[in-house]
Amino acid sequence: MSVKLQKISAEGHVDPLIYKGTTEALEAGTGKGASPPAHWHVFWAAGAANLIALAAGCVLCWTSPSISKFSGPNATFELTDSEAAWVGSLTPLGAAVGPIPAGILADKLGRKPTMLGDSVLLFISWALIAFANSPAMLYAARFIAGLATGCIFAVLPMYIGEIAVDSVRSTLGSMMQLSLTVGFMVPFALGPYVSVTWLAIASGIVPVLFAAAFFSMPESPSVLLMRGDTVEASDALQWLRGQDRTSIMPELRKLEDEAQEAMKRKKPLLQSFMQIFATRGNIKAFVFGCGLLFFQQFSGINAVLFYAQSIFKKTGSSLAPEICTIIIGLVQIVASAGTLLLTSRFSMKFLLIFSGLGMAVAHALLGYFFHLLVTDQDVSSVGALPVGSLVFYIIVYCFGFGPLPWAVMGEVFAADVKAISSSVCASFCWLLGFLVTQFFGLLLNVLGDDITFWGLGGCCVLASLFTLLLPNTRGKSLQEIQEMLNR
């Protein structure tokens, strides 16, 4: 049972909302915000939270093994090419809508209730797919799943950033990309061997597991303090840090001061949006954020993931398409796990340039292979080229343009516009994802596979050139970065 924190005002009234701690406790903390050591509880909370990212991974790659099962004599019902394109693209369309209400709900209800609500939406979407008997049910399911996915991308990084200590914040932040890639493996590994219904049931178990694991985790202490609930914030921080009340008091005071400052700066939604364009630094940061996400989507990642099996079938590879996609999924997991080591040794700017050029090479080689097929040339000597190209593409994508645009956004946005800027950029990202997945099949039919992949390669070259404009933020404080942007 926690002891109620309170202070007595000069007039003798008790104020139960704000507690600054005793002078002795604050002096013992040496700081005024010295970062406490990491405790295993914070890793446990982050791991439980990231199960929702794993659930989002199941959503994003469901179409790869499943969409072909809606054609042929064994299909429950058939999808036309146009309907199949909508089934694939409605998820990023829903994800484009999701971040805006997610930001509002995360402030009104809290990070934890919003993410638990996302798990309910995901479960509903998988239930609709399991019992689908028409394209309309698939449309609804995929849009709902996309809505939840967009919310996850907006809220999960907030929660992780707010519960972590400085020493492990980057490590915990990298868990989202790793969890996504593990989630990709569910449809990649199970999809080819089970029915659509059983894959939906298996995928629907993941958000249930998340809800069960995350339900007992604490809310973000920062959110609790903004509500004025100092007692709950103290209890949450004690558990996350594995410390008693006296030990966490310096950090609690610092978080309380930050919460009060944030409440002072809080403005209505429209005014917050206009603040994005209020200063030179904010404008440059917004352009960098949107630009990197534009090139992330036009690198072709969603098209490759959504249509991986179809691509492999066209290549005529000696490996079964389902085996090829499993290989890609495993490569993603390994590459995502290795990204943290690279970011500790190289600047994000260097990794983004390397990633863009590497993806361009991969697309060029894949386009060359399809060109050989189109011109009826012998491809027996380069039969391994498609798998090798896509594996290399996934590796360099995970090293740069996969996780790092989000990391750059976390650095370049000023504190007072970070939430609204991140939400707008995330919506922009998923809107582009919708356009790419919706028209990727059309491009293949109109331009041909070779020209399409060469075009994606050209976008990757432009991505590297755009990255040259970024400031080098390695080793810079957030204040120094803002000063650089405002010059």
Side-chain angles (χ1 to χ4, degrees):
M1 188 82 176
S2 63
V3 178
K4 192 171 185 65
L5 301 178
Q6 57 186 17
K7 74 171 185 178
I8 300 177
S9 67
E11 294 78 21
H13 299 108
V14 173
D15 180 359
L17 297 183
I18 304 297
Y19 177 72
K20 294 295 186 181
T22 65
T23 304
E24 292 79 13
L26 293 172
E27 289 174 349
T30 63
K32 300 212 181 181
S35 181
H39 189 271
W40 68 269
H41 282 176
V42 77
F43 291 95
W44 182 261
N50 270 285
L51 285 174
I52 197 69
L54 196 154
C58 297
V59 169
L60 294 176
C61 289
W62 174 84
T63 52
S64 179
S66 300
I67 206 72
S68 61
K69 294 183 178 181
F70 290 96
S71 61
N74 296 324
T76 306
F77 59 92
E78 293 199 12
L79 295 175
T80 65
D81 289 344
S82 175
E83 289 170 339
W86 276 106
V87 169
S89 59
L90 276 171
T91 295
L93 181 61
V97 177
I100 302 301
I104 297 171
L105 291 173
D107 280 344
K108 294 285 187 183
L109 304 179
R111 298 0 175 185
K112 180 179 174 179
T114 303
M115 289 196 289
L116 288 172
D118 289 337
S119 69
V120 174
L121 290 178
L122 289 175
F123 183 81
I124 291 172
S125 72
W126 290 121
L128 286 171
I129 290 176
F131 295 103
N133 56 20
S134 68
M137 289 185 71
L138 285 183
Y139 293 164
R142 295 298 287 168
F143 183 81
I144 292 171
L147 192 68
T149 299
C151 290
I152 291 164
F153 272 75
V155 181
L156 177 58
M158 291 186 205
Y159 179 79
I160 297 299
E162 289 167 354
I163 67 169
V165 295
D166 294 344
S167 59
V168 296
R169 184 167 285 112
S170 60
T171 301
L172 297 182
S174 69
M175 289 176 67
M176 179 173 168
Q177 178 72 15
L178 181 59
S179 298
L180 280 170
T181 56
V182 173
F184 294 163
M185 285 300 295
V186 175
F188 280 169
L190 292 181
Y193 308 106
V194 300
S195 68
V196 170
T197 298
W198 279 108
L199 179 58
I201 292 172
S203 301
I205 291 173
V206 181
V208 174
L209 291 175
F210 158 76
F214 191 63
F215 187 79
S216 60
M217 295 298 108
E219 175 62 279
S220 159
S222 297
V223 170
L224 294 170
L225 286 169
M226 282 192 283
R227 292 179 186 165
D229 198 342
T230 313
V231 176
E232 289 298 321
S234 172
D235 290 343
L237 205 56
Q238 286 178 69
W239 187 86
L240 289 166
R241 303 296 179 253
Q243 297 175 337
D244 60 22
R245 177 160 292 154
T246 300
S247 299
I248 60 94
M249 199 56 65
E251 185 181 6
L252 183 65
R253 178 173 184 177
K254 178 187 175 187
L255 291 175
E256 185 182 67
D257 290 340
E258 291 175 352
Q260 290 178 348
E261 186 63 29
M263 293 300 290
K264 290 178 184 176
R265 295 196 306 264
K266 193 171 183 179
K267 296 180 179 179
L269 185 63
L270 181 59
Q271 290 184 32
S272 296
F273 177 76
M274 296 308 297
Q275 283 295 109
I276 296 175
F277 310 101
T279 68
R280 178 183 177 87
N282 286 354
I283 294 173
K284 289 169 71 174
F286 187 68
V287 170
F288 287 143
C290 288
L292 288 175
L293 292 174
F294 173 88
F295 287 114
Q296 181 193 68
Q297 292 302 311
F298 276 84
S299 72
I301 184 60
N302 280 328
V304 168
L305 292 178
F306 283 23
Y307 298 101
Q309 283 204 28
S310 299
I311 292 171
F312 281 124
K313 284 180 182 178
K314 288 183 178 181
T315 65
S317 170
S318 57
L319 286 175
E322 57 268 22
I323 300 299
C324 294
T325 52
I326 290 174
I327 291 172
I328 283 183
L330 292 172
V331 168
Q332 281 184 295
I333 293 174
V334 174
S336 296
T339 301
L340 182 60
L341 296 175
L342 289 175
T343 52
S344 66
R345 298 182 180 182
F346 300 99
S347 70
M348 288 193 290
K349 182 174 181 176
F350 171 81
L351 290 174
L352 285 165
I353 294 172
F354 171 77
S355 177
L357 294 177
M359 290 188 297
V361 171
H363 281 313
L365 292 174
L366 196 58
Y368 172 70
F369 180 86
F370 279 115
H371 180 72
L372 294 179
L373 286 180
V374 169
T375 54
D376 296 322
Q377 299 184 51
D378 182 20
V379 295
S380 58
S381 61
V382 290
L385 189 59
V387 177
S389 297
L390 285 182
V391 165
F392 179 67
Y393 170 85
I394 292 295
I395 290 173
V396 293
Y397 173 82
C398 290
F399 284 172
F401 269 89
L404 296 187
W406 305 101
V408 169
M409 285 164 51
E411 289 189 346
V412 299
F413 289 139
D416 58 330
V417 297
K418 183 171 289 189
I420 185 65
S421 297
S422 297
S423 294
V424 173
C425 285
S427 291
F428 176 70
C429 171
W430 286 108
L431 180 60
L432 293 176
F434 161 72
L435 295 174
V436 171
T437 51
Q438 172 67 13
F439 295 107
F440 181 69
L442 179 63
L443 287 175
L444 292 176
N445 292 331
V446 173
L447 301 178
D449 300 82
D450 50 354
I451 302 298
T452 299
F453 282 103
W454 283 337
L456 292 174
C459 287
C460 293
V461 173
L462 292 177
S464 292
L465 295 175
F466 176 79
T467 304
L468 292 173
L469 302 175
L470 291 176
N472 190 348
T473 61
R474 182 175 174 80
K476 301 288 194 304
S477 69
L478 295 179
Q479 182 60 39
E480 288 173 331
I481 293 170
Q482 288 304 307
E483 291 171 359
M484 292 167 62
L485 291 171
N486 280 288
R487 288 173 188 164

